[in-house]
Amino acid sequence: MTRSYNSLGQFLDKVRRRSVLTAEEQSAILSLPVRAEQIPAHMDFVELGEHVDHACLIVHGLAGRFGQGREGNRQITALHIPGDMADLHSVVSPSATSALQALTTTTVVKIPHGAIRDIAARYPSIAQALWRECVIDAAILSEWVVNVGRRTASVRLAHLYCEMAYRYRLGEVTERMSFDFPATQHHLADMLGLTAVHVNRTLRVLEAADLVRLKRGVVEILSWARLIEYADFDPVYIQLNVTPLAPMRAG
Amino acid sequence: MTRSYNSLGQFLDKVRRRSVLTAEEQSAILSLPVRAEQIPAHMDFVELGEHVDHACLIVHGLAGRFGQGREGNRQITALHIPGDMADLHSVVSPSATSALQALTTTTVVKIPHGAIRDIAARYPSIAQALWRECVIDAAILSEWVVNVGRRTASVRLAHLYCEMAYRYRLGEVTERMSFDFPATQHHLADMLGLTAVHVNRTLRVLEAADLVRLKRGVVEILSWARLIEYADFDPVYIQLNVTPLAPMRAG
DNA sequence: CGATGGCTTGAGAGGCTTCAATGCCGGTGG
DNA sequence: CCACCGGCATTGAAGCCTCTCAAGCCATCG
């Protein structure tokens, strides 16, 4: 079968690393109706409290989920890269409890909840697979709590770079590699619970230790082995190199 | 129907505030096989990396989900009170990426994954409802990232008290109330990304402001209105006072 | 009654923030 | 084509919030 490598294919590839799906189930996912949309940088494409009727799959660019405190101090709680369904959770919880914003120019594809709920109801294995994706997003969130709560600024930043490298590479890392990561230092600060100024200084610490090098939106990792050691990083929580979970079937 | 108010009944009550279920679906949940177990304080009942085959419903006591950094600095990423399914996520992601520990003597009820997956496969609405519970747990996690990342110690602690009061009361709060919350100051520190010493001093700040009063494991809130104002707390993310989500049916 | 675990308090150090100014680069309009 | 402008990055200095270390206290429990 030649599968047109559309935006959904990218999503399906990731899902299949985690859940077993039959050919029929896979094609049900690939047949989901999509509507592409281009979002300019800094624009919310899901607003706080909004009642959404579609899920957003990131095709290109970078999106963040924003929580916020009273006095405008924003905190990014999750990051979504191409292939991620940024708000899959909205399928079962349609009123947005946090905003979704494009960090750079981003193209997303919108998929109606109705269509997703339809195939989830028809194929229990699909429901399980999507549920599982949400649970893995939660595991990442949980790691972010640890990161922000219990690590120093430089380790925190190193850990974030590890996670993003691992996710961009779908778990296929090499000792030396680089990846596009177009977040500003201010964005990094909002992910790490720091200030932009301190992120800047912290960046310099990592560079001085010859762990990473940065230029205009691309992160170059000089030694994966030393970086994960420094960052206290263990990729199991991202579940990209795992034996896919067998489907559930009605007994 | 006289429903025996067992441990599952407590769980079902909470689920029904969020999802519509038919009588048949409800009784399928209530008929889940359970096995009660008593866990002494400070004991892990799910270990890191363990491959579990059952989910744990908290019946009595208090449990925490622990993440940890390299040098033993632990961070509590989630708290589970009676009525919570502490690791419902394990149904679709059986290898534990974080440990579960009883903070006080806790009785849990273990429910085999097989039984849950069975009713989830048979009743798509149940799958959706359980999926939704996981998503709401993730929303709470997301709020914890904001809390730890972007709030000062005293606001952070106040916010935690708000969340726990709201959850213990299932969203039925009153201006003045108290609730049992048997976490030590060291536990609080691990939830908030602080040290026990600083938690102690911070407690004193909240007491001095006449917001809460504490004695031996019970939190007394002196003014809910002033506390949520101080804590920057908005309970929507907990989704306890929400119109339950309609079920999904195969089209 | 000594041991234990949790709470309390003090003093000093340090990591991160705040405020503020400067530099850099790409985009835009005259 | 160049000058200007705005967003982002960089750097310095001072201060505060929180940590660390350390000691003392109080209840509970064998």
Side-chain angles (χ1 to χ4, degrees):
Chain A
M1 169 179 94
T2 82
R3 195 173 72 231
S4 69
Y5 199 76
N6 59 13
S7 44
L8 284 165
Q10 210 179 351
F11 173 66
L12 179 59
D13 280 355
K14 190 153 57 76
V15 172
R16 288 183 56 210
R17 291 170 155 263
R18 295 161 172 168
S19 304
V20 172
L21 294 174
T22 66
E24 185 184 347
E25 288 155 354
Q26 290 179 45
S27 86
I29 291 176
L30 291 175
S31 311
L32 247 15
V34 300
R35 191 161 50 83
E37 200 163 310
Q38 178 109 342
I39 318 279
H42 305 115
M43 179 180 235
D44 287 12
F45 58 97
V46 171
E47 311 218 11
L48 193 62
E50 186 181 346
H51 193 93
V52 297
D53 62 355
H54 57 265
C56 298
L57 170 60
I58 309 296
V59 178
H60 186 83
L62 185 63
R65 193 165 153 198
F66 282 76
Q68 47 200 324
R70 186 174 18 205
E71 320 119 19
N73 41 3
R74 310 194 100 191
Q75 168 75 38
I76 299 180
T77 59
L79 228 44
H80 295 289
I81 65 176
D84 287 355
M85 197 78 94
D87 58 350
L88 185 53
H89 53 87
S90 70
V91 171
V92 292
S93 182
S95 86
T97 57
S98 47
L100 238 33
Q101 180 179 312
L103 301 191
T104 63
T105 306
T106 297
T107 95
V108 306
V109 133
K110 298 190 169 178
I111 306 166
H113 283 171
I116 298 175
R117 298 172 69 175
D118 195 55
I119 62 170
R122 199 188 325 265
Y123 304 100
S125 300
I126 289 182
Q128 175 187 275
L130 299 182
W131 178 1
R132 184 162 207 223
E133 291 302 305
C134 283
V135 161
I136 291 170
D137 282 347
I140 293 176
L141 220 35
S142 168
E143 192 61 36
W144 278 43
V145 174
V146 176
N147 207 32
V148 172
R150 281 286 179 238
R151 291 197 254 255
T152 63
S154 57
V155 177
R156 216 181 281 187
L157 180 55
H159 194 279
L160 177 70
Y161 280 153
C162 286
E163 177 182 314
M164 296 321 293
Y166 197 83
R167 285 171 60 188
Y168 271 111
R169 293 295 184 112
L170 289 175
E172 315 283 328
V173 292
T174 53
E175 176 63 5
R176 214 165 186 293
M177 59 188 161
S178 60
F179 62 100
D180 231 64
F181 188 46
T184 66
Q185 294 184 4
H186 192 86
H187 288 144
L188 290 171
D190 285 344
M191 295 169 206
L192 300 171
L194 298 170
T195 58
V197 171
H198 200 62
V199 165
N200 186 309
R201 299 195 229 263
T202 301
L203 242 22
R204 204 112 322 126
V205 172
L206 297 188
E207 289 186 333
D210 283 321
L211 290 168
V212 298
R213 191 156 316 165
L214 290 131
K215 38 179 162 358
R216 48 188 79 271
V218 7
V219 178
E220 184 184 0
I221 293 176
L222 302 180
S223 164
W224 178 251
R226 286 195 300 113
L227 186 62
I228 64 174
E229 162 69 18
Y230 183 91
D232 190 21
F233 178 77
D234 178 351
V236 284
Y237 69 97
I238 304 175
Q239 305 208 36
L240 280 168
N241 289 306
V242 100
T243 70
L245 190 65
M248 59 189 185
R249 307 268 173 232
Chain B
M1 168 178 96
T2 83
R3 195 173 71 232
S4 69
Y5 198 76
N6 58 13
S7 44
L8 284 165
Q10 211 178 353
F11 172 66
L12 179 58
D13 280 356
K14 189 151 60 74
V15 172
R16 288 182 56 211
R17 292 172 153 262
R18 294 161 171 169
S19 303
V20 173
L21 294 174
T22 66
E24 184 184 347
E25 288 155 355
Q26 290 178 44
S27 85
I29 290 177
L30 290 175
S31 311
L32 249 13
V34 298
R35 190 162 49 84
E37 200 163 309
Q38 179 109 342
I39 319 280
H42 305 116
M43 179 181 236
D44 286 12
F45 57 98
V46 171
E47 310 217 13
L48 193 62
E50 186 182 347
H51 194 93
V52 297
D53 62 355
H54 57 266
C56 299
L57 171 58
I58 309 297
V59 177
H60 187 81
L62 186 63
R65 194 165 152 198
F66 282 75
Q68 46 201 326
R70 183 173 23 203
E71 322 118 18
N73 42 3
R74 310 194 100 192
Q75 168 76 39
I76 299 180
T77 59
L79 228 44
H80 294 290
I81 66 176
D84 286 356
M85 198 79 97
D87 58 350
L88 185 54
H89 53 87
S90 69
V91 172
V92 293
S93 183
S95 87
T97 56
S98 47
L100 237 33
Q101 180 179 315
L103 301 192
T104 64
T105 306
T106 297
T107 96
V108 306
V109 132
K110 296 190 170 179
I111 305 164
H113 282 171
I116 297 175
R117 296 171 72 173
D118 196 54
I119 62 169
R122 200 190 322 268
Y123 303 100
S125 299
I126 290 183
Q128 175 187 277
L130 299 183
W131 177 2
R132 186 163 204 222
E133 292 302 307
C134 284
V135 161
I136 291 170
D137 282 347
I140 292 175
L141 219 36
S142 168
E143 192 61 35
W144 279 43
V145 173
V146 176
N147 207 33
V148 172
R150 281 286 180 240
R151 291 198 254 254
T152 63
S154 57
V155 176
R156 219 182 279 188
L157 180 55
H159 195 279
L160 178 70
Y161 280 153
C162 286
E163 178 182 313
M164 295 323 291
Y166 197 83
R167 285 171 59 187
Y168 272 111
R169 294 297 184 109
L170 288 175
E172 314 283 326
V173 293
T174 53
E175 176 63 7
R176 214 165 186 293
M177 58 187 163
S178 61
F179 62 100
D180 231 63
F181 188 47
T184 66
Q185 293 183 6
H186 192 88
H187 287 143
L188 290 172
D190 285 343
M191 295 168 206
L192 299 171
L194 298 169
T195 58
V197 172
H198 200 62
V199 165
N200 185 309
R201 299 197 229 262
T202 302
L203 242 22
R204 204 112 321 126
V205 172
L206 296 188
E207 290 186 331
D210 283 320
L211 290 168
V212 298
R213 191 157 316 163
L214 289 132
K215 37 178 163 358
R216 49 187 77 270
V218 7
V219 179
E220 184 184 0
I221 292 175
L222 302 179
S223 164
W224 177 251
R226 284 196 299 115
L227 186 62
I228 63 174
E229 162 69 18
Y230 183 91
D232 191 22
F233 177 78
D234 178 350
V236 285
Y237 68 97
I238 305 176
Q239 305 207 37
L240 280 169
N241 290 306
V242 99
T243 69
L245 191 64
M248 58 188 185
R249 306 267 173 234

